[in-house]
């Protein structure tokens, strides 16, 4: 039993490392060759995990080999357009200037019901509102609406706005994140003063606190348990 547990732990750690090295994309965002490698890695890891008669190295070597293949193919695809088209394919224009490209629908074996479903999921129920619809190489639809149907942006209004920074998390469940506090340009006394303004006495009493992209401090106090309320 201990051997099975140890083998499972080793293979799990290996697969996690391999998947991290392959990138952070979700399954739905993977290219076909990446999805194939992911499925094969899962199968290779399961076999020695289930059968203790198979040497552990027989699962490790193929997994590392597939990782190397994925890295090499990805690198070559970055350098050579023709290789990228062979391995990943090329985007397909499904709707061109408001007209459905029937030949592409037939080639990709997409029926109208599937197309309309995809468009509705992107909040475009009317094909007449769409200038271009593109099926990307990862299977996702990209929609470019007609000029009169796109949303208003700040540039259209001629307004000048300041660029925003990312929100900074400062406290999580009563724990102060010092590196984030320092990177935000503040110190511990500053955050204590901010908490006092919100009638929170200690950092330990804070459930979550962050500095917004506009530089505004937000803090939410922990919910008091029934025992704490009785003590009050």
């Amino acid at each position: 039993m201990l051997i099975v547990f140890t083998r499972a732990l080793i293979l799990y750690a290996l697969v996690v490392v391999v998947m991290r090295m392959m990138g952070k994309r979700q399954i739905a965002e993977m290219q076909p060759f990446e999805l194939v490698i992911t499925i094969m890695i899962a199968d290779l890891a399961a076999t020695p995990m289930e059968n203790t008669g198979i040497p552990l190295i027989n699962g490790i070597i193929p997994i590392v080999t597939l990782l190397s293949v994925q890295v090499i193919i990805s690198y070559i695809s970055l350098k050579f357009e023709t290789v990228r088209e062979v391995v990943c394919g090329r985007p397909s224009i499904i709707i061109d200037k408001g007209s459905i490209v029937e030949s592409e629908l037939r080639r990709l074996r997409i029926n109208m019901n599937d197309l309309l479903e995809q468009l509705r999921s992107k909040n475009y129920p009317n094909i007449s509102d769409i200038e271009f619809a593109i099926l990307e190489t990862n299977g996702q639809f990209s929609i470019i609406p007609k000029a009169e149907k796109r949303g208003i942006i700040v540039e259209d209004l001629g307004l000048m706005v300041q660029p925003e920074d990312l929100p900074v998390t400062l406290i999580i469940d009563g724990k102060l994140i010092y590196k984030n506090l320092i990177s935000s340009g503040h110190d511990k006394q500053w955050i204590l003063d901010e908490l006092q303004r919100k009638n929170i006495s200690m950092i330990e009493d804070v459930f979550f606190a962050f500095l917004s992209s506009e530089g505004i401090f937000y803090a939410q106090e922990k919910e008091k348990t029934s025992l704490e309320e009785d003590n009050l």
Side-chain angles (χ1 to χ4, degrees):
M1 183 64 70
L2 182 60
I3 294 176
V4 174
F5 174 79
T6 305
R7 289 164 68 96
L9 196 61
I10 292 172
L11 287 168
Y12 169 76
L14 176 63
V15 172
V16 169
V17 171
V18 168
M19 297 305 295
R20 286 296 302 273
M21 293 180 68
M22 285 179 61
K24 295 185 177 180
R25 283 186 286 188
Q26 300 178 3
I27 295 295
E29 298 174 346
M30 287 184 173
Q31 299 294 341
F33 81 95
E34 294 174 322
L35 181 60
V36 170
I37 289 177
T38 301
I39 294 172
M40 292 179 67
I41 286 175
D43 186 58
L44 288 169
T47 302
M49 193 182 299
E50 296 171 350
N51 190 351
T52 56
I54 299 176
L56 192 61
I57 195 69
N58 287 8
I60 294 176
I61 291 178
I63 291 175
V64 174
T65 301
L66 288 177
L67 171 63
S68 303
V69 170
Q70 192 272 339
V71 172
I72 291 171
I73 292 177
S74 297
Y75 180 78
I76 294 175
S77 298
L78 288 174
K79 297 295 182 180
F80 302 100
E81 180 71 23
T82 53
V83 175
R84 181 159 57 249
E85 290 183 1
V86 171
V87 175
C88 304
R90 62 173 62 184
S92 299
I93 299 177
I94 306 299
I95 297 178
D96 185 7
K97 296 181 180 179
S99 300
I100 299 173
V101 184
E102 296 182 31
S103 58
E104 280 297 292
L105 286 181
R106 287 194 294 268
R107 186 179 71 84
L108 298 170
R109 296 180 296 279
I110 299 175
N111 59 51
M112 279 301 302
N113 288 333
D114 291 337
L115 175 60
L116 293 173
E117 181 180 344
Q118 290 291 336
L119 298 181
R120 287 195 299 269
S121 69
K122 299 289 186 179
N123 296 321
Y124 288 98
N126 298 318
I127 294 179
S128 57
D129 295 340
I130 299 171
E131 189 75 21
F132 295 99
I134 303 169
L135 181 63
E136 306 292 355
T137 56
N138 62 1
Q140 300 292 320
F141 267 86
S142 297
I143 308 296
I144 301 175
K146 291 183 176 179
E148 64 272 17
K149 295 296 182 179
R150 66 180 175 88
I152 297 176
I153 60 177
V154 174
E155 187 179 7
D156 295 332
L157 302 176
L159 299 176
M160 296 295 294
V161 295
Q162 294 295 327
E164 291 188 356
D165 295 324
L166 290 173
V168 180
T169 300
L170 299 175
I171 301 174
I172 297 179
D173 197 17
K175 303 293 183 182
L176 178 62
I177 306 176
Y178 280 98
K179 62 178 183 179
N180 289 0
L181 180 63
I182 298 302
S183 67
S184 68
H186 301 289
D187 55 18
K188 188 174 180 179
Q189 187 57 49
W190 173 84
I191 200 169
L192 289 173
D193 293 340
E194 290 294 326
L195 292 176
Q196 287 291 337
R197 293 191 183 96
K198 297 182 179 297
N199 298 320
I200 302 175
S201 57
M202 297 187 300
I203 292 175
E204 289 75 13
D205 295 335
V206 179
F207 176 69
F208 183 68
F210 71 98
L211 197 64
S212 73
S213 56
E214 296 86 8
I216 302 173
F217 179 76
Y218 292 88
Q220 178 179 331
E221 193 174 8
K222 288 183 179 179
E223 293 182 356
K224 289 182 171 59
T225 62
S226 57
L227 180 60
E228 290 174 335
E229 291 175 348
D230 292 339
N231 292 335
L232 293 175

